[in-house]
Amino acid sequence: MSEHTLTRADLTEAVYEEVGLSRNESAQLVESVLQMMMDRLIAGENVKISSFGSFLVRQKGERIGRNPKTGVEVPISPRRVVVFRPSQILKSRISESLDSSS
Amino acid sequence: MIKSELIAELAQANPHLYQRDVERIVNTIFEEITEALARGDRVELRGFGTFSVKVRPARLGRNPRTGEPVQVPAKHVPYFKCGKELRERLNE
């Protein structure tokens, strides 16, 4: 598998090619989409993108962790995390393209 | 928030764009990420997070009804790791 990394620039290019806008405006629109999603998540709201997946805000309680170097136990404070649940469509598209069919 | 609300919010922030184009913009972004993952590529969006594909190795499973061992083939699954900025802003 030849692994390549896409960035905002690649998403901008895709938007630029799809819609007749300038590269600069395409970049701003990509940024707006990411910011709007982040604002909702930070406000504690889930973000569901049909046929792609859901970004869910989860509350984690306090737990005891351990410094792996010293072995000293330290409390890990309660926190909020975002988990991504891929849609069945996204899972199938990846699976169909990359799993060996044997 | 669902996708149609994201499209509506983006359309409202960009009143000079056609609704139809705003829809295409949002769909293009998620389609591009999907295609990258289907090629086995990573998508790194600094501040937001990184999408990648992980391999669940092949394993020996068991038919729960008969107890018979069956070979479960390796499987590729999408994975998202929250970005540093988002993680920090969630806990401010």
mmCIF file of all heavy atoms in Angstrom, chain B residues 16-64:
data_model
loop_
_atom_site.group_PDB
_atom_site.id
_atom_site.type_symbol
_atom_site.label_atom_id
_atom_site.label_comp_id
_atom_site.label_asym_id
_atom_site.label_seq_id
_atom_site.Cartn_x
_atom_site.Cartn_y
_atom_site.Cartn_z
ATOM 1 N N HIS B 16 -23.285 34.959 -1.490
ATOM 2 C CA HIS B 16 -23.035 35.148 -2.916
ATOM 3 C C HIS B 16 -22.969 33.821 -3.676
ATOM 4 O O HIS B 16 -22.890 33.807 -4.895
ATOM 5 C CB HIS B 16 -21.724 35.914 -3.124
ATOM 6 C CG HIS B 16 -20.525 35.205 -2.567
ATOM 7 N ND1 HIS B 16 -20.356 35.011 -1.202
ATOM 8 C CD2 HIS B 16 -19.473 34.619 -3.163
ATOM 9 C CE1 HIS B 16 -19.221 34.346 -1.016
ATOM 10 N NE2 HIS B 16 -18.671 34.094 -2.185
ATOM 11 N N LEU B 17 -22.982 32.693 -2.959
ATOM 12 C CA LEU B 17 -22.903 31.380 -3.614
ATOM 13 C C LEU B 17 -24.291 30.767 -3.771
ATOM 14 O O LEU B 17 -25.166 30.976 -2.939
ATOM 15 C CB LEU B 17 -22.031 30.421 -2.796
ATOM 16 C CG LEU B 17 -20.561 30.802 -2.585
ATOM 17 C CD1 LEU B 17 -19.878 29.743 -1.741
ATOM 18 C CD2 LEU B 17 -19.844 30.966 -3.921
ATOM 19 N N TYR B 18 -24.450 30.004 -4.864
ATOM 20 C CA TYR B 18 -25.690 29.248 -5.042
ATOM 21 C C TYR B 18 -25.729 28.115 -4.032
ATOM 22 O O TYR B 18 -24.708 27.480 -3.772
ATOM 23 C CB TYR B 18 -25.758 28.631 -6.448
ATOM 24 C CG TYR B 18 -25.926 29.622 -7.561
ATOM 25 C CD1 TYR B 18 -24.908 29.852 -8.476
ATOM 26 C CD2 TYR B 18 -27.139 30.310 -7.708
ATOM 27 C CE1 TYR B 18 -25.072 30.757 -9.519
ATOM 28 C CE2 TYR B 18 -27.301 31.221 -8.740
ATOM 29 C CZ TYR B 18 -26.266 31.445 -9.634
ATOM 30 O OH TYR B 18 -26.427 32.343 -10.661
ATOM 31 N N GLN B 19 -26.917 27.838 -3.509
ATOM 32 C CA GLN B 19 -27.139 26.732 -2.578
ATOM 33 C C GLN B 19 -26.581 25.426 -3.168
ATOM 34 O O GLN B 19 -25.928 24.640 -2.501
ATOM 35 C CB GLN B 19 -28.648 26.599 -2.326
ATOM 36 C CG GLN B 19 -29.081 25.333 -1.608
ATOM 37 C CD GLN B 19 -28.951 25.446 -0.098
ATOM 38 O OE1 GLN B 19 -28.784 26.539 0.450
ATOM 39 N NE2 GLN B 19 -29.015 24.317 0.586
ATOM 40 N N ARG B 20 -26.826 25.241 -4.457
ATOM 41 C CA ARG B 20 -26.404 24.029 -5.158
ATOM 42 C C ARG B 20 -24.867 23.892 -5.128
ATOM 43 O O ARG B 20 -24.328 22.802 -4.942
ATOM 44 C CB ARG B 20 -26.969 24.173 -6.576
ATOM 45 C CG ARG B 20 -26.345 23.396 -7.654
ATOM 46 C CD ARG B 20 -26.826 23.653 -9.039
ATOM 47 N NE ARG B 20 -25.897 24.551 -9.690
ATOM 48 C CZ ARG B 20 -26.233 25.620 -10.373
ATOM 49 N NH1 ARG B 20 -27.492 25.948 -10.501
ATOM 50 N NH2 ARG B 20 -25.331 26.384 -10.923
ATOM 51 N N ASP B 21 -24.160 25.006 -5.274
ATOM 52 C CA ASP B 21 -22.696 24.958 -5.213
ATOM 53 C C ASP B 21 -22.204 24.678 -3.799
ATOM 54 O O ASP B 21 -21.215 23.963 -3.615
ATOM 55 C CB ASP B 21 -22.096 26.274 -5.739
ATOM 56 C CG ASP B 21 -22.173 26.367 -7.257
ATOM 57 O OD1 ASP B 21 -22.366 25.306 -7.898
ATOM 58 O OD2 ASP B 21 -22.048 27.475 -7.799
ATOM 59 N N VAL B 22 -22.887 25.249 -2.808
ATOM 60 C CA VAL B 22 -22.500 25.009 -1.417
ATOM 61 C C VAL B 22 -22.627 23.515 -1.105
ATOM 62 O O VAL B 22 -21.762 22.921 -0.468
ATOM 63 C CB VAL B 22 -23.355 25.858 -0.441
ATOM 64 C CG1 VAL B 22 -23.011 25.532 1.002
ATOM 65 C CG2 VAL B 22 -23.150 27.340 -0.711
ATOM 66 N N GLU B 23 -23.696 22.905 -1.609
ATOM 67 C CA GLU B 23 -23.895 21.466 -1.435
ATOM 68 C C GLU B 23 -22.752 20.686 -2.079
ATOM 69 O O GLU B 23 -22.227 19.736 -1.486
ATOM 70 C CB GLU B 23 -25.199 21.036 -2.110
ATOM 71 C CG GLU B 23 -26.362 20.932 -1.166
ATOM 72 C CD GLU B 23 -27.643 20.612 -1.910
ATOM 73 O OE1 GLU B 23 -27.676 19.591 -2.636
ATOM 74 O OE2 GLU B 23 -28.584 21.400 -1.777
ATOM 75 N N ARG B 24 -22.378 21.099 -3.281
ATOM 76 C CA ARG B 24 -21.289 20.399 -3.986
ATOM 77 C C ARG B 24 -19.970 20.547 -3.240
ATOM 78 O O ARG B 24 -19.164 19.619 -3.205
ATOM 79 C CB ARG B 24 -21.153 20.929 -5.420
ATOM 80 C CG ARG B 24 -22.203 20.335 -6.354
ATOM 81 C CD ARG B 24 -22.311 21.116 -7.630
ATOM 82 N NE ARG B 24 -21.133 20.978 -8.485
ATOM 83 C CZ ARG B 24 -20.867 21.787 -9.507
ATOM 84 N NH1 ARG B 24 -21.665 22.813 -9.764
ATOM 85 N NH2 ARG B 24 -19.819 21.571 -10.254
ATOM 86 N N ILE B 25 -19.747 21.724 -2.665
ATOM 87 C CA ILE B 25 -18.506 21.971 -1.921
ATOM 88 C C ILE B 25 -18.411 21.007 -0.726
ATOM 89 O O ILE B 25 -17.399 20.329 -0.537
ATOM 90 C CB ILE B 25 -18.441 23.444 -1.447
ATOM 91 C CG1 ILE B 25 -18.226 24.365 -2.654
ATOM 92 C CG2 ILE B 25 -17.351 23.644 -0.400
ATOM 93 C CD1 ILE B 25 -18.617 25.812 -2.409
ATOM 94 N N VAL B 26 -19.487 20.948 0.050
ATOM 95 C CA VAL B 26 -19.484 20.088 1.243
ATOM 96 C C VAL B 26 -19.347 18.616 0.839
ATOM 97 O O VAL B 26 -18.542 17.875 1.405
ATOM 98 C CB VAL B 26 -20.749 20.335 2.105
ATOM 99 C CG1 VAL B 26 -20.867 19.300 3.214
ATOM 100 C CG2 VAL B 26 -20.717 21.755 2.686
ATOM 101 N N ASN B 27 -20.101 18.205 -0.179
ATOM 102 C CA ASN B 27 -20.021 16.809 -0.624
ATOM 103 C C ASN B 27 -18.639 16.467 -1.161
ATOM 104 O O ASN B 27 -18.129 15.370 -0.926
ATOM 105 C CB ASN B 27 -21.086 16.522 -1.686
ATOM 106 C CG ASN B 27 -22.478 16.464 -1.073
ATOM 107 O OD1 ASN B 27 -22.645 16.128 0.097
ATOM 108 N ND2 ASN B 27 -23.492 16.811 -1.846
ATOM 109 N N THR B 28 -18.026 17.411 -1.881
ATOM 110 C CA THR B 28 -16.689 17.185 -2.443
ATOM 111 C C THR B 28 -15.665 16.933 -1.336
ATOM 112 O O THR B 28 -14.808 16.052 -1.456
ATOM 113 C CB THR B 28 -16.248 18.401 -3.296
ATOM 114 O OG1 THR B 28 -17.155 18.541 -4.381
ATOM 115 C CG2 THR B 28 -14.836 18.229 -3.836
ATOM 116 N N ILE B 29 -15.760 17.699 -0.263
ATOM 117 C CA ILE B 29 -14.803 17.544 0.842
ATOM 118 C C ILE B 29 -14.869 16.123 1.419
ATOM 119 O O ILE B 29 -13.844 15.450 1.553
ATOM 120 C CB ILE B 29 -15.069 18.604 1.938
ATOM 121 C CG1 ILE B 29 -14.705 20.000 1.403
ATOM 122 C CG2 ILE B 29 -14.285 18.285 3.219
ATOM 123 C CD1 ILE B 29 -15.134 21.151 2.293
ATOM 124 N N PHE B 30 -16.083 15.653 1.719
ATOM 125 C CA PHE B 30 -16.192 14.316 2.321
ATOM 126 C C PHE B 30 -15.911 13.206 1.303
ATOM 127 O O PHE B 30 -15.373 12.159 1.654
ATOM 128 C CB PHE B 30 -17.551 14.149 3.015
ATOM 129 C CG PHE B 30 -17.677 15.079 4.191
ATOM 130 C CD1 PHE B 30 -18.503 16.182 4.148
ATOM 131 C CD2 PHE B 30 -16.903 14.865 5.331
ATOM 132 C CE1 PHE B 30 -18.579 17.068 5.217
ATOM 133 C CE2 PHE B 30 -16.968 15.751 6.407
ATOM 134 C CZ PHE B 30 -17.808 16.852 6.354
ATOM 135 N N GLU B 31 -16.251 13.453 0.045
ATOM 136 C CA GLU B 31 -15.970 12.467 -1.000
ATOM 137 C C GLU B 31 -14.454 12.331 -1.197
ATOM 138 O O GLU B 31 -13.940 11.225 -1.368
ATOM 139 C CB GLU B 31 -16.668 12.885 -2.308
ATOM 140 C CG GLU B 31 -16.404 11.969 -3.495
ATOM 141 C CD GLU B 31 -16.817 10.520 -3.272
ATOM 142 O OE1 GLU B 31 -17.707 10.258 -2.429
ATOM 143 O OE2 GLU B 31 -16.230 9.650 -3.933
ATOM 144 N N GLU B 32 -13.754 13.464 -1.158
ATOM 145 C CA GLU B 32 -12.304 13.462 -1.340
ATOM 146 C C GLU B 32 -11.619 12.678 -0.205
ATOM 147 O O GLU B 32 -10.684 11.912 -0.436
ATOM 148 C CB GLU B 32 -11.810 14.917 -1.374
ATOM 149 C CG GLU B 32 -10.412 15.094 -1.892
ATOM 150 C CD GLU B 32 -10.235 14.763 -3.366
ATOM 151 O OE1 GLU B 32 -11.251 14.605 -4.080
ATOM 152 O OE2 GLU B 32 -9.085 14.638 -3.793
ATOM 153 N N ILE B 33 -12.106 12.879 1.022
ATOM 154 C CA ILE B 33 -11.544 12.151 2.167
ATOM 155 C C ILE B 33 -11.828 10.649 1.999
ATOM 156 O O ILE B 33 -10.950 9.808 2.190
ATOM 157 C CB ILE B 33 -12.130 12.667 3.506
ATOM 158 C CG1 ILE B 33 -11.760 14.153 3.713
ATOM 159 C CG2 ILE B 33 -11.615 11.830 4.692
ATOM 160 C CD1 ILE B 33 -12.458 14.818 4.897
ATOM 161 N N THR B 34 -13.058 10.324 1.595
ATOM 162 C CA THR B 34 -13.444 8.914 1.396
ATOM 163 C C THR B 34 -12.560 8.251 0.344
ATOM 164 O O THR B 34 -12.047 7.143 0.557
ATOM 165 C CB THR B 34 -14.921 8.830 0.961
ATOM 166 O OG1 THR B 34 -15.733 9.425 1.976
ATOM 167 C CG2 THR B 34 -15.355 7.387 0.750
ATOM 168 N N GLU B 35 -12.349 8.943 -0.796
ATOM 169 C CA GLU B 35 -11.534 8.369 -1.870
ATOM 170 C C GLU B 35 -10.086 8.164 -1.424
ATOM 171 O O GLU B 35 -9.467 7.160 -1.762
ATOM 172 C CB GLU B 35 -11.573 9.266 -3.115
ATOM 173 C CG GLU B 35 -12.885 9.124 -3.879
ATOM 174 C CD GLU B 35 -13.027 10.132 -5.017
ATOM 175 O OE1 GLU B 35 -12.020 10.758 -5.399
ATOM 176 O OE2 GLU B 35 -14.160 10.285 -5.503
ATOM 177 N N ALA B 36 -9.570 9.127 -0.657
ATOM 178 C CA ALA B 36 -8.194 9.000 -0.162
ATOM 179 C C ALA B 36 -8.071 7.761 0.723
ATOM 180 O O ALA B 36 -7.146 6.957 0.556
ATOM 181 C CB ALA B 36 -7.799 10.251 0.618
ATOM 182 N N LEU B 37 -9.019 7.582 1.640
ATOM 183 C CA LEU B 37 -8.972 6.431 2.547
ATOM 184 C C LEU B 37 -9.118 5.129 1.771
ATOM 185 O O LEU B 37 -8.453 4.141 2.066
ATOM 186 C CB LEU B 37 -10.049 6.560 3.624
ATOM 187 C CG LEU B 37 -9.866 7.729 4.605
ATOM 188 C CD1 LEU B 37 -11.071 7.846 5.529
ATOM 189 C CD2 LEU B 37 -8.591 7.567 5.431
ATOM 190 N N ALA B 38 -9.965 5.134 0.734
ATOM 191 C CA ALA B 38 -10.166 3.925 -0.079
ATOM 192 C C ALA B 38 -8.904 3.566 -0.862
ATOM 193 O O ALA B 38 -8.738 2.433 -1.283
ATOM 194 C CB ALA B 38 -11.357 4.119 -1.021
ATOM 195 N N ARG B 39 -8.008 4.538 -1.043
ATOM 196 C CA ARG B 39 -6.711 4.251 -1.689
ATOM 197 C C ARG B 39 -5.679 3.828 -0.647
ATOM 198 O O ARG B 39 -4.550 3.486 -0.989
ATOM 199 C CB ARG B 39 -6.166 5.513 -2.390
ATOM 200 C CG ARG B 39 -6.863 5.942 -3.649
ATOM 201 C CD ARG B 39 -6.031 6.993 -4.392
ATOM 202 N NE ARG B 39 -5.790 8.186 -3.585
ATOM 203 C CZ ARG B 39 -6.563 9.284 -3.582
ATOM 204 N NH1 ARG B 39 -7.638 9.317 -4.336
ATOM 205 N NH2 ARG B 39 -6.267 10.307 -2.828
ATOM 206 N N GLY B 40 -6.058 3.935 0.632
ATOM 207 C CA GLY B 40 -5.122 3.600 1.698
ATOM 208 C C GLY B 40 -4.319 4.806 2.156
ATOM 209 O O GLY B 40 -3.373 4.666 2.934
ATOM 210 N N ASP B 41 -4.677 6.001 1.683
ATOM 211 C CA ASP B 41 -3.966 7.224 2.068
ATOM 212 C C ASP B 41 -4.477 7.779 3.396
ATOM 213 O O ASP B 41 -5.561 7.425 3.851
ATOM 214 C CB ASP B 41 -4.150 8.303 0.987
ATOM 215 C CG ASP B 41 -3.403 7.979 -0.295
ATOM 216 O OD1 ASP B 41 -2.523 7.107 -0.254
ATOM 217 O OD2 ASP B 41 -3.710 8.601 -1.326
ATOM 218 N N ARG B 42 -3.668 8.667 3.978
ATOM 219 C CA ARG B 42 -4.058 9.384 5.198
ATOM 220 C C ARG B 42 -4.557 10.772 4.806
ATOM 221 O O ARG B 42 -4.168 11.308 3.784
ATOM 222 C CB ARG B 42 -2.823 9.632 6.077
ATOM 223 C CG ARG B 42 -2.294 8.462 6.855
ATOM 224 C CD ARG B 42 -0.825 8.684 7.200
ATOM 225 N NE ARG B 42 -0.559 10.027 7.718
ATOM 226 C CZ ARG B 42 -0.666 10.370 9.004
ATOM 227 N NH1 ARG B 42 -1.003 9.483 9.897
ATOM 228 N NH2 ARG B 42 -0.411 11.594 9.409
ATOM 229 N N VAL B 43 -5.388 11.372 5.648
ATOM 230 C CA VAL B 43 -5.814 12.756 5.433
ATOM 231 C C VAL B 43 -5.551 13.510 6.726
ATOM 232 O O VAL B 43 -6.166 13.228 7.758
ATOM 233 C CB VAL B 43 -7.308 12.852 5.051
ATOM 234 C CG1 VAL B 43 -7.693 14.309 4.816
ATOM 235 C CG2 VAL B 43 -7.600 12.022 3.805
ATOM 236 N N GLU B 44 -4.591 14.433 6.664
ATOM 237 C CA GLU B 44 -4.180 15.142 7.871
ATOM 238 C C GLU B 44 -4.670 16.583 7.828
ATOM 239 O O GLU B 44 -4.223 17.360 6.982
ATOM 240 C CB GLU B 44 -2.649 15.097 7.962
ATOM 241 C CG GLU B 44 -2.114 15.582 9.287
ATOM 242 C CD GLU B 44 -0.595 15.496 9.357
ATOM 243 O OE1 GLU B 44 -0.042 14.458 8.949
ATOM 244 O OE2 GLU B 44 0.006 16.477 9.795
ATOM 245 N N LEU B 45 -5.603 16.913 8.702
ATOM 246 C CA LEU B 45 -6.163 18.265 8.757
ATOM 247 C C LEU B 45 -5.750 18.885 10.085
ATOM 248 O O LEU B 45 -6.424 18.712 11.107
ATOM 249 C CB LEU B 45 -7.681 18.203 8.584
ATOM 250 C CG LEU B 45 -8.125 17.489 7.289
ATOM 251 C CD1 LEU B 45 -9.610 17.212 7.293
ATOM 252 C CD2 LEU B 45 -7.723 18.298 6.065
ATOM 253 N N ARG B 46 -4.613 19.553 10.057
ATOM 254 C CA ARG B 46 -4.019 20.160 11.248
ATOM 255 C C ARG B 46 -5.062 20.909 12.079
ATOM 256 O O ARG B 46 -5.828 21.705 11.537
ATOM 257 C CB ARG B 46 -2.990 21.160 10.771
ATOM 258 C CG ARG B 46 -1.585 21.233 11.228
ATOM 259 C CD ARG B 46 -0.813 20.253 11.929
ATOM 260 N NE ARG B 46 -0.059 19.353 11.073
ATOM 261 C CZ ARG B 46 1.098 19.659 10.480
ATOM 262 N NH1 ARG B 46 1.648 20.824 10.636
ATOM 263 N NH2 ARG B 46 1.715 18.775 9.764
ATOM 264 N N GLY B 47 -5.080 20.643 13.368
ATOM 265 C CA GLY B 47 -6.003 21.339 14.257
ATOM 266 C C GLY B 47 -7.309 20.589 14.424
ATOM 267 O O GLY B 47 -7.896 20.568 15.502
ATOM 268 N N PHE B 48 -7.766 19.940 13.344
ATOM 269 C CA PHE B 48 -9.030 19.197 13.373
ATOM 270 C C PHE B 48 -8.771 17.739 13.734
ATOM 271 O O PHE B 48 -9.277 17.230 14.733
ATOM 272 C CB PHE B 48 -9.726 19.321 12.018
ATOM 273 C CG PHE B 48 -11.060 18.635 11.953
ATOM 274 C CD1 PHE B 48 -12.183 19.203 12.546
ATOM 275 C CD2 PHE B 48 -11.199 17.421 11.298
ATOM 276 C CE1 PHE B 48 -13.419 18.565 12.498
ATOM 277 C CE2 PHE B 48 -12.431 16.777 11.246
ATOM 278 C CZ PHE B 48 -13.541 17.358 11.845
ATOM 279 N N GLY B 49 -7.958 17.082 12.920
ATOM 280 C CA GLY B 49 -7.643 15.685 13.195
ATOM 281 C C GLY B 49 -7.116 14.975 11.967
ATOM 282 O O GLY B 49 -7.004 15.569 10.894
ATOM 283 N N THR B 50 -6.797 13.703 12.125
ATOM 284 C CA THR B 50 -6.229 12.907 11.039
ATOM 285 C C THR B 50 -7.062 11.655 10.811
ATOM 286 O O THR B 50 -7.388 10.932 11.749
ATOM 287 C CB THR B 50 -4.787 12.500 11.392
ATOM 288 O OG1 THR B 50 -4.027 13.684 11.637
ATOM 289 C CG2 THR B 50 -4.128 11.716 10.269
ATOM 290 N N PHE B 51 -7.403 11.425 9.537
ATOM 291 C CA PHE B 51 -8.092 10.188 9.151
ATOM 292 C C PHE B 51 -7.050 9.240 8.573
ATOM 293 O O PHE B 51 -6.188 9.653 7.795
ATOM 294 C CB PHE B 51 -9.139 10.460 8.067
ATOM 295 C CG PHE B 51 -10.255 11.366 8.495
ATOM 296 C CD1 PHE B 51 -10.162 12.740 8.308
ATOM 297 C CD2 PHE B 51 -11.392 10.858 9.094
ATOM 298 C CE1 PHE B 51 -11.196 13.591 8.694
ATOM 299 C CE2 PHE B 51 -12.429 11.685 9.488
ATOM 300 C CZ PHE B 51 -12.328 13.061 9.289
ATOM 301 N N SER B 52 -7.149 7.968 8.944
ATOM 302 C CA SER B 52 -6.246 6.985 8.371
ATOM 303 C C SER B 52 -6.956 5.635 8.309
ATOM 304 O O SER B 52 -8.092 5.509 8.759
ATOM 305 C CB SER B 52 -4.970 6.883 9.218
ATOM 306 O OG SER B 52 -5.293 6.489 10.529
ATOM 307 N N VAL B 53 -6.268 4.666 7.713
ATOM 308 C CA VAL B 53 -6.828 3.321 7.610
ATOM 309 C C VAL B 53 -5.978 2.393 8.451
ATOM 310 O O VAL B 53 -4.751 2.409 8.357
ATOM 311 C CB VAL B 53 -6.842 2.829 6.143
ATOM 312 C CG1 VAL B 53 -7.348 1.396 6.054
ATOM 313 C CG2 VAL B 53 -7.704 3.744 5.288
ATOM 314 N N LYS B 54 -6.631 1.624 9.311
ATOM 315 C CA LYS B 54 -5.900 0.647 10.120
ATOM 316 C C LYS B 54 -6.243 -0.753 9.644
ATOM 317 O O LYS B 54 -7.341 -0.992 9.159
ATOM 318 C CB LYS B 54 -6.281 0.797 11.595
ATOM 319 C CG LYS B 54 -5.782 2.117 12.170
ATOM 320 C CD LYS B 54 -5.574 2.025 13.657
ATOM 321 C CE LYS B 54 -4.743 3.221 14.093
ATOM 322 N NZ LYS B 54 -4.483 3.240 15.518
ATOM 323 N N VAL B 55 -5.295 -1.647 9.785
ATOM 324 C CA VAL B 55 -5.527 -3.034 9.384
ATOM 325 C C VAL B 55 -5.823 -3.872 10.619
ATOM 326 O O VAL B 55 -5.039 -3.895 11.565
ATOM 327 C CB VAL B 55 -4.297 -3.624 8.654
ATOM 328 C CG1 VAL B 55 -4.609 -5.033 8.156
ATOM 329 C CG2 VAL B 55 -3.880 -2.738 7.501
ATOM 330 N N ARG B 56 -6.993 -4.497 10.611
ATOM 331 C CA ARG B 56 -7.297 -5.498 11.644
ATOM 332 C C ARG B 56 -6.740 -6.802 11.107
ATOM 333 O O ARG B 56 -7.212 -7.293 10.079
ATOM 334 C CB ARG B 56 -8.817 -5.650 11.829
ATOM 335 C CG ARG B 56 -9.510 -4.447 12.406
ATOM 336 C CD ARG B 56 -9.620 -4.537 13.933
ATOM 337 N NE ARG B 56 -9.760 -3.196 14.505
ATOM 338 C CZ ARG B 56 -10.864 -2.498 14.492
ATOM 339 N NH1 ARG B 56 -11.947 -3.005 13.952
ATOM 340 N NH2 ARG B 56 -10.900 -1.294 15.013
ATOM 341 N N PRO B 57 -5.712 -7.356 11.777
ATOM 342 C CA PRO B 57 -5.077 -8.560 11.225
ATOM 343 C C PRO B 57 -6.036 -9.757 11.159
ATOM 344 O O PRO B 57 -7.031 -9.798 11.883
ATOM 345 C CB PRO B 57 -3.924 -8.830 12.186
ATOM 346 C CG PRO B 57 -4.152 -7.989 13.376
ATOM 347 C CD PRO B 57 -5.116 -6.912 13.029
ATOM 348 N N ALA B 58 -5.706 -10.693 10.284
ATOM 349 C CA ALA B 58 -6.491 -11.920 10.170
ATOM 350 C C ALA B 58 -6.421 -12.662 11.502
ATOM 351 O O ALA B 58 -5.434 -12.565 12.226
ATOM 352 C CB ALA B 58 -5.907 -12.794 9.054
ATOM 353 N N ARG B 59 -7.484 -13.335 11.854
ATOM 354 C CA ARG B 59 -7.461 -14.062 13.123
ATOM 355 C C ARG B 59 -8.319 -15.319 12.989
ATOM 356 O O ARG B 59 -9.105 -15.445 12.044
ATOM 357 C CB ARG B 59 -7.989 -13.184 14.266
ATOM 358 C CG ARG B 59 -9.414 -12.766 14.055
ATOM 359 C CD ARG B 59 -9.887 -11.732 15.058
ATOM 360 N NE ARG B 59 -11.207 -11.253 14.672
ATOM 361 C CZ ARG B 59 -12.342 -11.877 14.985
ATOM 362 N NH1 ARG B 59 -12.318 -12.975 15.716
ATOM 363 N NH2 ARG B 59 -13.507 -11.402 14.576
ATOM 364 N N LEU B 60 -8.149 -16.201 13.958
ATOM 365 C CA LEU B 60 -8.956 -17.413 13.979
ATOM 366 C C LEU B 60 -10.191 -17.123 14.832
ATOM 367 O O LEU B 60 -10.088 -16.917 16.039
ATOM 368 C CB LEU B 60 -8.128 -18.557 14.565
ATOM 369 C CG LEU B 60 -8.548 -19.957 14.140
ATOM 370 C CD1 LEU B 60 -8.522 -20.100 12.610
ATOM 371 C CD2 LEU B 60 -7.641 -20.994 14.766
ATOM 372 N N GLY B 61 -11.362 -17.053 14.192
ATOM 373 C CA GLY B 61 -12.589 -16.816 14.938
ATOM 374 C C GLY B 61 -13.299 -18.123 15.184
ATOM 375 O O GLY B 61 -12.744 -19.191 14.945
ATOM 376 N N ARG B 62 -14.515 -18.021 15.674
ATOM 377 C CA ARG B 62 -15.266 -19.221 15.978
ATOM 378 C C ARG B 62 -16.727 -19.011 15.591
ATOM 379 O O ARG B 62 -17.289 -17.956 15.875
ATOM 380 C CB ARG B 62 -15.174 -19.494 17.485
ATOM 381 C CG ARG B 62 -14.927 -20.924 17.835
ATOM 382 C CD ARG B 62 -14.533 -21.028 19.296
ATOM 383 N NE ARG B 62 -13.118 -21.303 19.468
ATOM 384 C CZ ARG B 62 -12.538 -22.482 19.206
ATOM 385 N NH1 ARG B 62 -13.253 -23.486 18.749
ATOM 386 N NH2 ARG B 62 -11.259 -22.662 19.406
ATOM 387 N N ASN B 63 -17.300 -19.961 14.940
ATOM 388 C CA ASN B 63 -18.730 -19.902 14.668
ATOM 389 C C ASN B 63 -19.441 -20.043 16.004
ATOM 390 O O ASN B 63 -19.320 -21.072 16.669
ATOM 391 C CB ASN B 63 -19.112 -21.057 13.730
ATOM 392 C CG ASN B 63 -20.608 -21.059 13.409
ATOM 393 O OD1 ASN B 63 -21.435 -20.708 14.252
ATOM 394 N ND2 ASN B 63 -20.945 -21.451 12.201
ATOM 395 N N PRO B 64 -20.165 -19.000 16.433
ATOM 396 C CA PRO B 64 -20.747 -19.035 17.784
ATOM 397 C C PRO B 64 -21.774 -20.161 17.952
ATOM 398 O O PRO B 64 -22.016 -20.618 19.060
ATOM 399 C CB PRO B 64 -21.386 -17.656 17.933
ATOM 400 C CG PRO B 64 -21.473 -17.077 16.573
ATOM 401 C CD PRO B 64 -20.473 -17.769 15.717
#
